[in-house]
Amino acid sequence: MLLSSFGDLKIQDWKKMIKHVLLLCLMIHCTIADPKAAVPVPIPPVPVSVPPLPKHTWLTLHGDEPFVVANGGFSGLYPPQTELAYSQSIIFGKGGTVLLCDLHMSRDGHGFCLSQLNLQNTTNAADAFPNRKKTYIVNGKELQGWFALDLTSDEMFDKLIVTQSIFSRTDLFDFLSPYPTDLYLEENRNALLWINAEYATFYNQHKLSLLDHMKQLVETKKDITYISSPEIGFLKSMGPVVHGLKTKLMFKFPIDRNAVEPTTNEPYASLLTKLPMIKTFATGIVVPREFIWPVNKARYLEPSTNLVADAHKQGLEVFAYGFANDNYLPHNYSYDVQREYLQFVDNSKFAVDGVVTDFPTSASTAIACLAGSKNASRKVPTLIISANGANGEYPGSTDLAYQKAVNDGADIIDCSVQMTKDGVAFCLPSVDLIPTTTASGPFMSRAAKVDSIQSSMGIFSFDFKWDEILSLKPQMFSEFNGDLIRDPARKNVGKFVTLSDFLEFAKAKAVPGVLINIENAAYLANKGLDVVGAVTTALSNATLDKQSTQKVLIMSGESSVLDKFKDIPTYQKVLHIKKQVEFVTNETALEIKKHADAVFLHKHSLYTQFRGEGFTLNFTNLIECLHWANVSVYAGTVLNEFQDIYMDYSSDPYSLIHNLIYYGADGIITQYPGTANAYTRNLCTGNLESYRIPDINPGDVITTSLDPKEVEEYKPPPPVHLETKDFVTPPLPAVAAISKDDDKGSASSNNTNTNAPSSPSPPPEQAQTPSTATATTINVVAIFFSAMLGLVTLL
């Protein structure tokens, strides 16, 4: 009976039935995704095709591309001068990355790569050898600690562990032994190598010869690319040794210009003026980067010196050292690590011949991908959305922040709408005036606590008239304090902007789109302030509701606000998921689709974290399921400051942006639009012959660097689920009729939670995590029905 009924079905009925079954399978596949398991490797967006690149003209001594020198390997992430640090710099650096080893010697005359003479901060020597602490005179100064020359090579192998010398960096990989120089040569025989012999005179004083050991190394590997030293006598002695070889001898200047060179007894500052003399025994010089671009005490760049030009006139190569992504950079760079590299290799006057860096991936990106790209077209189509304008470089939501965002290539500029007591809608990052204005000085007495808005006391815009707001100054808000504070010279610059002026500015500048962020609408309505009405009117007056040339995005964390704009099809509605989440069911994804076309997700919601160590572990299922529900994903907020970036991404915003897009983000929300725009114009995307910015899947770093058992044994906490109660809110109340002259409606007299939503429907029951076999079976079924759907489409 059942078969005969099937036989009566028409082709159209078969199509409908298979489509419904396929939809059911895809829904099941999305829902049962194991929140602890890795989502399938994402397919990156198709980049804009590019023609072959013209050869770049470099202002280096010989016109060649500058070298990237990995200082002790990938020492920004791994303990320096270890086997792991060197191997990872080869994997992730551009072709021709040079591996630098600082040569030191054990008591029995064996050479090791060690980043410092004093082992106290670079190894566990103090714990392993508590009674070996010594004091030596080094270059005329007393130095106390632990030293390799007091240990045998066997002791170093058996008990010594190399550690990160910079305490702000991770200690997760502090389990590696010191790296002998003979093993360094053998295991990296196909790489370009650099050996720095820093303390030849000191070792000679203790009957150990760096010179003899270096002769042995050169005999073993005749093509060591560079040998450097700050001692003229050592380099002159090495001259006959490397004669006829391709090895280049480099004279290294220490950071302290007033230090005395041991062979000549002259200060290095004096030797810096004797470049013709240096040319008689060296091929080039290695100098601190501040010798080329000086930085004043306030951390601003000063005009460049003539050192590079003068050295190039003498035929000397120039390498600059001291580069690291976690440096406290001059304010001129806005914490954009690539801008510092480009300052040395891609300015119109000169280019150094190489950079010595703790982060070879970032230097590789700067030199191979970003140099020469200033006027290039965009290769990556992902949307760039500002966060309060260029909030990282100017006080947020000011005229200067918006102008900078436009100049820096933002596709969408944003206004977080706040309301004054007298009904003026204006742009400001927060309803609380304390972080982003100077209100805390003159108006601290008007601070209040509004539980429905924030848990702390605040000074709120809706308690002020517009004239009072104008009496204040904008204030640069820094996500981090101390040495990572943002440019103090711009702390209070710029002007406040009304919503109407913001929209007129966007139209005049022909910005591709605007994003209007609306929060606290219910609370404001109860105070007699109609923020939704103000936005609707302003958009209408700007005629942005009657055209499709410029995009209009309406964003809110409240579904009831987005629903107010559902009748305007040209507006894209963006749901702001304010908390960090790790899992979403298909039911919740479909509920989001009822209210929004896109979501703004915290960037860390795209991956889980390993043990709170600042490393990723697995993909979450959010992008996969939201895309399945036809909801776009905007990830943010992306900052340039290194402390905000997981270490998988080398503390580099370019690496983070690249991988957020690789994971499937449809847009990047950032306080530094210029950085995102520079990434989208990089010359490597779409160019198969160039260096590739690394695609880093969550968990790649820890699984390749740690014992697999250690990773497997980690049991992450249960994933935080995104639920409908997080965003579904009751309909907005009617706007209260309150006299404009009534001051009793201040926050201090009305701090009840009027914005608290009523209890929504309970979220759908969460699916059980399936076994691997079950998930595999469902994948096969989904593929089968996909094929069936393709077949019936042809009928």
Side-chain angles (χ1 to χ4, degrees):
M1 181 70 178
L2 180 61
L3 292 174
S4 63
S5 298
F6 272 35
D8 294 335
L9 291 174
K10 298 179 180 179
I11 287 180
Q12 290 82 356
D13 297 324
W14 275 100
K15 286 184 179 180
K16 290 179 181 179
M17 184 173 71
I18 293 178
K19 285 181 179 179
H20 281 96
V21 175
L22 174 61
L23 178 60
L24 176 62
C25 289
L26 290 174
M27 289 177 66
I28 295 171
H29 172 70
C30 183
T31 301
I32 67 174
D34 183 354
K36 295 180 290 184
V39 172
V41 174
I43 300 175
V46 178
V48 178
S49 60
V50 293
L53 295 175
K55 184 174 177 59
H56 188 81
T57 301
W58 296 99
L59 299 179
T60 52
L61 177 62
H62 302 296
D64 299 323
E65 182 176 278
F67 282 98
V68 172
V69 182
N71 181 33
F74 199 158
S75 55
L77 183 59
Y78 302 100
Q81 322 235 3
T82 58
E83 181 181 3
L84 181 60
Y86 288 122
S87 65
Q88 294 302 299
S89 62
I90 293 175
I91 293 171
F92 292 109
K94 74 182 185 71
T97 293
V98 184
L99 309 183
L100 187 148
C101 162
D102 289 293
L103 174 61
H104 292 277
M105 298 191 72
S106 64
R107 187 169 65 195
D108 49 352
H110 290 272
F112 287 86
C113 297
L114 294 165
S115 59
Q116 295 180 20
L117 178 65
N118 188 347
L119 303 179
Q120 182 169 351
N121 293 331
T122 60
T123 70
N124 66 333
D127 295 326
F129 304 100
N131 299 321
R132 302 284 185 92
K133 190 174 185 180
K134 294 286 187 68
T135 300
Y136 289 106
I137 302 300
V138 182
N139 295 334
K141 295 182 179 180
E142 192 175 271
L143 183 62
Q144 189 178 71
W146 284 259
F147 301 84
L149 59 82
D150 294 318
L151 305 172
T152 67
S153 55
D154 286 341
E155 287 177 322
M156 294 178 69
F157 273 126
D158 292 343
K159 293 186 177 181
L160 214 57
I161 298 298
V162 182
T163 61
Q164 267 290 3
S165 57
I166 297 178
F167 297 135
S168 61
R169 295 176 180 174
T170 181
D171 61 358
L172 194 61
F173 310 114
D174 289 0
F175 53 78
L176 300 162
S177 300
Y179 204 31
T181 50
D182 54 353
L183 197 59
Y184 160 78
L185 294 183
E186 179 185 345
E187 294 187 344
N188 301 296
R189 56 184 175 274
N190 296 322
L192 302 180
L193 303 182
W194 182 317
I195 298 180
N196 178 50
E198 193 91 355
Y199 296 98
T201 298
F202 170 75
Y203 280 107
N204 284 338
Q205 292 168 350
H206 298 280
K207 300 180 180 180
L208 291 168
S209 176
L210 289 189
L211 180 62
D212 289 344
H213 188 73
M214 187 64 75
K215 289 179 180 179
Q216 295 175 13
L217 296 179
V218 172
E219 184 65 28
T220 301
K221 182 177 172 62
K222 297 184 182 299
D223 55 349
I224 295 174
T225 311
Y226 291 97
I227 295 173
S228 61
S229 177
E231 300 188 15
I232 292 176
F234 175 85
L235 291 175
K236 286 185 175 181
S237 298
M238 284 299 301
V241 177
V242 301
H243 181 71
L245 303 178
K246 294 182 179 180
T247 301
K248 297 180 179 180
L249 299 179
M250 308 292 288
F251 184 45
K252 182 179 179 180
F253 284 81
I255 295 175
D256 183 3
R257 297 169 185 254
N258 297 319
V260 176
E261 194 279 321
T263 306
T264 62
N265 288 322
E266 282 191 60
Y268 284 95
S270 173
L271 295 173
L272 203 60
T273 65
K274 299 180 179 181
L275 297 177
M277 184 270 290
I278 294 173
K279 178 61 179 173
T280 63
F281 62 85
T283 306
I285 58 175
V286 191
V287 299
R289 66 198 202 286
E290 293 85 359
F291 281 25
I292 299 170
W293 283 100
V295 181
N296 63 29
K297 292 182 179 180
R299 276 180 45 206
Y300 293 98
L301 287 178
E302 295 183 347
S304 63
T305 67
N306 294 322
L307 178 59
V308 176
D310 292 343
H312 282 175
K313 287 179 183 178
Q314 299 299 325
L316 289 167
E317 296 180 11
V318 180
F319 282 70
Y321 70 87
F323 293 90
N325 294 0
D326 48 5
N327 280 334
Y328 299 113
L329 299 177
H331 295 296
N332 309 69
Y333 301 133
S334 299
Y335 297 108
D336 183 332
V337 296
Q338 309 293 356
R339 285 173 61 180
E340 181 178 36
Y341 291 114
L342 295 176
Q343 190 82 359
F344 286 79
V345 302
D346 195 32
N347 65 68
S348 59
K349 296 181 180 179
F350 63 83
V352 297
D353 300 280
V355 293
V356 183
T357 175
D358 293 0
F359 291 85
T361 54
S362 296
S364 297
T365 298
I367 293 171
C369 305
L370 297 174
S373 68
K374 186 175 182 179
N375 298 316
S377 59
R378 284 177 61 170
K379 313 296 188 303
V380 183
T382 306
L383 279 179
I384 300 171
I385 304 171
S386 74
N388 307 305
N391 193 14
E393 306 197 55
Y394 289 96
S397 303
T398 59
D399 59 335
L400 296 179
Y402 289 130
Q403 184 62 63
K404 179 65 172 171
V406 172
N407 293 346
D408 285 350
D411 298 307
I412 309 291
I413 59 173
D414 68 304
C415 171
S416 290
V417 181
Q418 313 302 337
M419 297 293 292
T420 64
K421 181 190 294 188
D422 49 350
V424 176
F426 71 107
C427 305
L428 199 69
S430 169
V431 64
D432 184 359
L433 303 176
I434 292 177
T436 56
T437 76
T438 55
S440 60
F443 294 112
M444 200 62 202
S445 61
R446 291 165 72 171
K449 190 168 186 294
V450 183
D451 293 333
S452 62
I453 293 178
Q454 62 187 39
S455 59
S456 59
M457 297 284 285
I459 302 174
F460 298 103
S461 63
F462 47 70
D463 285 334
F464 288 74
K465 294 182 179 179
W466 178 238
D467 288 344
E468 292 177 303
I469 297 292
L470 292 177
S471 71
L472 304 172
K473 290 182 179 180
Q475 182 166 282
M476 176 87 82
F477 175 71
S478 294
E479 300 286 340
F480 305 94
N481 295 316
D483 289 329
L484 275 180
I485 194 169
R486 291 172 176 171
D487 189 350
R490 297 175 177 176
K491 181 178 180 180
N492 298 116
V493 299
K495 299 177 182 179
F496 297 114
V497 177
T498 65
L499 174 58
S500 297
D501 288 342
F502 167 81
L503 295 175
E504 288 304 318
F505 170 81
K507 290 185 66 177
K509 296 295 181 179
V511 181
V514 295
L515 182 149
I516 308 300
N517 182 33
I518 304 172
E519 302 295 347
N520 308 308
Y523 182 86
L524 292 172
N526 286 320
K527 291 184 68 65
L529 296 171
D530 185 4
V531 62
V532 172
V535 168
T536 302
T537 300
L539 289 170
S540 179
N541 290 342
T543 67
L544 289 174
D545 60 336
K546 304 176 180 67
Q547 54 83 58
S548 57
T549 303
Q550 288 180 295
K551 295 182 179 179
V552 175
L553 285 64
I554 304 294
M555 185 169 77
S556 181
E558 305 160 16
S559 63
S560 54
V561 172
L562 300 180
D563 291 344
K564 287 287 186 178
F565 296 89
K566 64 183 178 181
D567 293 331
I568 305 179
T570 57
Y571 291 178
Q572 184 185 70
K573 300 178 289 297
V574 182
L575 179 65
H576 185 186
I577 306 299
K578 298 179 182 180
K579 73 176 186 178
Q580 189 174 327
V581 294
E582 298 169 329
F583 188 72
V584 63
T585 65
N586 61 303
E587 293 90 352
T588 303
L590 292 173
E591 182 65 27
I592 289 173
K593 183 60 181 176
K594 293 178 183 178
H595 306 281
D597 308 295
V599 296
F600 169 20
L601 285 179
H602 193 292
K603 58 184 179 289
H604 296 332
S605 290
L606 306 189
Y607 36 77
T608 59
Q609 189 178 180
F610 178 69
R611 286 195 328 213
E613 297 273 3
F615 287 92
T616 62
L617 178 61
N618 281 319
F619 284 107
T620 66
N621 78 330
L622 273 89
I623 284 187
E624 182 189 28
C625 275
L626 289 168
H627 279 175
W628 165 81
N630 197 26
V631 176
S632 298
V633 175
Y634 304 144
T637 300
V638 173
L639 310 179
N640 283 358
E641 287 88 346
F642 69 86
Q643 287 188 359
D644 191 61
I645 303 170
Y646 279 8
M647 285 178 276
D648 308 65
Y649 311 112
S650 303
S651 303
D652 182 346
Y654 287 79
S655 178
L656 174 61
I657 291 168
H658 171 83
N659 282 287
L660 290 176
I661 295 171
Y662 168 61
Y663 301 159
D666 303 288
I668 300 296
I669 297 179
T670 175
Q671 294 184 3
Y672 294 91
T675 298
N677 186 36
Y679 165 76
T680 65
R681 290 182 287 105
N682 82 82
L683 302 179
C684 294
T685 296
N687 181 5
L688 300 179
E689 298 179 357
S690 75
Y691 170 74
R692 289 195 60 178
I693 301 174
D695 298 333
I696 302 171
N697 290 313
D700 277 358
V701 173
I702 58 169
T703 54
T704 57
S705 306
L706 295 179
D707 183 343
K709 185 177 180 181
E710 182 180 355
V711 179
E712 291 173 6
E713 289 177 349
Y714 171 63
K715 304 299 181 185
V720 178
H721 285 232
L722 175 60
E723 300 175 295
T724 54
K725 67 180 181 181
D726 295 322
F727 58 87
V728 173
T729 53
L732 294 176
V735 178
I738 298 177
S739 170
K740 293 182 180 180
D741 297 326
D742 185 359
D743 288 342
K744 295 181 181 180
S746 68
S748 58
S749 62
N750 183 11
N751 64 355
T752 58
N753 191 354
T754 58
N755 199 26
S758 60
S759 299
S761 301
E765 194 171 319
Q766 304 304 326
Q768 299 272 336
T769 300
S771 66
T772 303
T774 304
T776 303
T777 301
I778 292 173
N779 283 334
V780 172
V781 172
I783 294 170
F784 168 77
F785 279 106
S786 296
M788 290 295 294
L789 179 60
L791 288 174
V792 298
T793 304
L794 297 175
L795 296 177

